[in-house]
């Protein structure tokens, strides 16, 4: 049989398998967001509006848009709202999120409307509503983001 090395030697230096992706602009889509089809329509003054079309590639076995795609859209919208307030190059990450699914998405565009506020030292809270083309509510997200410490 063929043997496969599942774990790397912890003493070997790790080599990156892919070149680090660089965004063309501070407010731009990452490779994952492009794969999903997320479009950034607006991001300014702590608010953002993004959209994602329903496609079969994004559906689950029941034929509705996968909750992971909806969560990614909402999380990305909050991140773009935060980026609108921070200087380019600032490193931050989602540390907590909660998603409430209200109705299934069968077709059309899903619109994400996000807003954020600074809630502490290097901390932002965000919320995002996912709405359909007739303003029907699909899901609601609340999240917390932390900005990485610049101290070395």
């Amino acid at each position: 049989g063929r043997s496969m090395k599942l774990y790397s030697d912890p003493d070997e230096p790790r080599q990156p398998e892919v070149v680090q992706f660089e965004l063309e602009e501070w407010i731009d889509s990452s490779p994952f967001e492009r794969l999903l089809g997320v479009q950034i329509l607006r991001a300014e003054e702590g608010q953002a509006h993004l959209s994602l079309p329903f496609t079969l590639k994004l559906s689950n076995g029941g034929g509705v848009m996968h909750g992971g795609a909806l969560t990614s859209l909402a999380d990305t919208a909050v991140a773009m709202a935060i980026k609108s307030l921070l200087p380019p190059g600032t490193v931050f990450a989602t540390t907590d999120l909660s998603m409430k699914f209200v109705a299934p998405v069968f077709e059309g565009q899903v619109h994400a409307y996000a807003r954020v506020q600074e809630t502490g030292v290097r901390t932002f809270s965000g919320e995002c509503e996912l709405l359909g083309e007739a303003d029907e509510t699909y899901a609601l997200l609340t999240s917390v983001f932390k900005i990485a410490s610049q101290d070395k």
Side-chain angles (χ1 to χ4, degrees), residues 22-148:
E22 285 190 32
L23 300 177
E24 290 176 26
E25 297 177 44
W26 174 231
I27 295 179
D28 196 2
S29 297
S30 71
F32 176 69
E33 294 148 8
R34 290 181 186 178
L35 176 68
L36 288 179
V38 171
Q39 293 178 300
I40 302 166
L41 303 175
R42 186 177 65 83
E44 57 193 15
E45 297 173 0
Q47 298 185 39
H49 175 198
L50 280 63
S51 70
L52 178 64
F54 175 89
T55 62
L56 284 178
K57 284 184 182 179
L58 298 181
S59 65
N60 65 21
V64 299
M65 190 179 276
H66 194 287
L70 293 169
T71 303
S72 294
L73 171 63
D75 183 52
T76 300
V78 173
M80 295 306 145
I82 291 172
K83 279 188 163 192
S84 76
L85 299 174
L86 296 176
T90 306
V91 177
F92 63 93
T94 311
T95 58
D96 186 50
L97 69 74
S98 175
M99 191 75 163
K100 180 178 180 181
F101 297 98
V102 178
V105 179
F106 294 104
E107 62 184 356
Q109 289 279 338
V110 179
H111 291 272
Y113 296 96
R115 57 195 161 276
V116 298
Q117 60 183 21
E118 203 164 353
T119 53
V121 178
R122 300 194 323 266
T123 306
F124 284 85
S125 68
E127 52 187 40
C128 183
E129 289 181 286
L130 297 185
L131 304 177
E133 293 171 3
D135 283 341
E136 64 274 40
T137 301
Y138 290 132
L140 304 165
L141 172 135
T142 56
S143 59
V144 175
F145 280 73
K146 295 259 172 78
I147 299 170

